[in-house]
Amino acid sequence: RIYNPSTNTWSAGATAPGPGRSEGAAVTVGRDFYAVGGRPIGSAGNRLERYSLGTNTWVTLASMPTPRAGLGAAAIGGAIYAIGGRSSSGPCGGGELDTVERYNVGSNTWTTLAPLPVPLSDIAAIDYGRKIFVFGGCNGEDPGNTVYIYDTPSNTWSAGTPMPRYRAALYGVGKKDSQIYVMGGITDTLLDRATIDVYGASVNTWTTLPATANMPDPRGEMGVVSFGARIYTIGGAHPAMGSSSATNDVFTP
């Protein structure tokens, strides 16, 4: 499905190659959209596929070395970074991974990088500058509040200031300038989060927005996309890991 923010309308794109799967990651490089990993019926998968908007076509690319779902992904330059995830069949269901692999768009090849400091699944990842920030996720059954920062030039990890709240199954975060907006996901009691916490990537500090800024439809497993001065929260499950949601809400920082 293709959403046009200018007209607030949806249209259908070409159907992706099968099998269908959930709990994967997605990034854009230029005008191309990459679908990474995810879970078909049964165990986690390792497929990588690219959708080109200009031609409305899909291409299957080199598979990830490590099959996984519930992973984070980010793109910097001509590379896509696949981070963490799990081999199990459901969110926060065990089998967490610390694996980090980089896909080179130009050569259609994968390289294994320095692992996460701890295995994590059902995380959110986003780039800022030449770094990738990883938020929350599960190590075991319960969501956490960790922040890990990957420095791409040095291939090293460091810890950031922990989140004010425990979150997992958030799968995406928003960004405006150096501010990263963490919203949605599930709590340590497996309820949906409505609050929005803002991380200053350049200063390593957190701010919680007032209750008036809470998500009108809290949910987990949603897509989060920053476009212009707005952040869109699309789909997901409500309650978390429950019924699918067709909601498309927009937040203006």
Side-chain angles (χ1 to χ4, degrees):
R1 297 292 185 264
I2 302 169
Y3 177 71
N4 186 328
S6 300
T7 59
N8 190 31
T9 57
W10 287 91
S11 60
T15 301
R21 56 199 192 273
S22 63
E23 301 148 23
V27 296
T28 56
V29 179
R31 289 173 58 84
D32 292 334
F33 170 91
Y34 292 78
V36 189
R39 177 170 65 95
I41 296 175
S43 60
N46 65 344
R47 293 174 68 91
L48 173 68
E49 286 139 357
R50 180 183 67 223
Y51 173 78
S52 296
L53 182 62
T55 58
N56 189 32
T57 56
W58 287 88
V59 175
T60 299
L61 303 169
S63 297
M64 265 193 310
T66 305
R68 45 189 152 159
L71 69 157
I76 296 180
I80 297 168
Y81 296 78
I83 302 167
R86 55 180 152 76
S87 58
S88 67
S89 60
C92 298
E96 297 88 356
L97 301 168
D98 62 3
T99 308
V100 179
E101 292 162 340
R102 180 182 63 213
Y103 175 76
N104 185 302
V105 172
S107 63
N108 189 32
T109 57
W110 288 90
T111 303
T112 300
L113 304 174
L116 274 163
V118 297
L120 289 170
S121 72
D122 303 284
I123 56 179
I126 197 166
D127 65 286
Y128 173 69
R130 301 180 73 183
K131 296 181 178 181
I132 298 170
F133 296 79
V134 174
F135 299 94
C138 287
N139 184 348
E141 295 182 355
D142 295 327
N145 67 339
T146 55
V147 176
Y148 290 111
I149 305 165
Y150 177 73
D151 182 77
T152 58
S154 64
N155 187 31
T156 57
W157 287 92
S158 60
T161 301
M163 295 189 294
R165 269 160 276 275
Y166 295 90
R167 298 180 194 254
L170 52 166
Y171 296 166
V173 291
K175 180 175 67 175
K176 182 182 179 184
D177 301 322
S178 64
Q179 304 296 300
I180 298 172
Y181 293 77
V182 180
M183 55 188 73
I186 58 174
T187 71
D188 49 340
T189 55
L190 302 185
L191 298 175
D192 297 321
R193 284 282 189 208
T195 52
I196 300 178
D197 296 317
V198 184
Y199 178 74
S202 59
V203 293
N204 191 31
T205 58
W206 286 95
T207 303
T208 298
L209 298 187
T212 53
N214 283 0
M215 292 175 60
D217 184 19
R219 57 206 191 278
E221 303 179 83
M222 61 186 180
V224 181
V225 181
S226 301
F227 182 81
R230 294 181 170 185
I231 299 170
Y232 293 82
T233 61
I234 304 169
H238 179 72
M241 295 181 278
S243 299
S244 297
S245 171
T247 301
N248 178 18
D249 292 330
V250 60
F251 174 71
T252 303

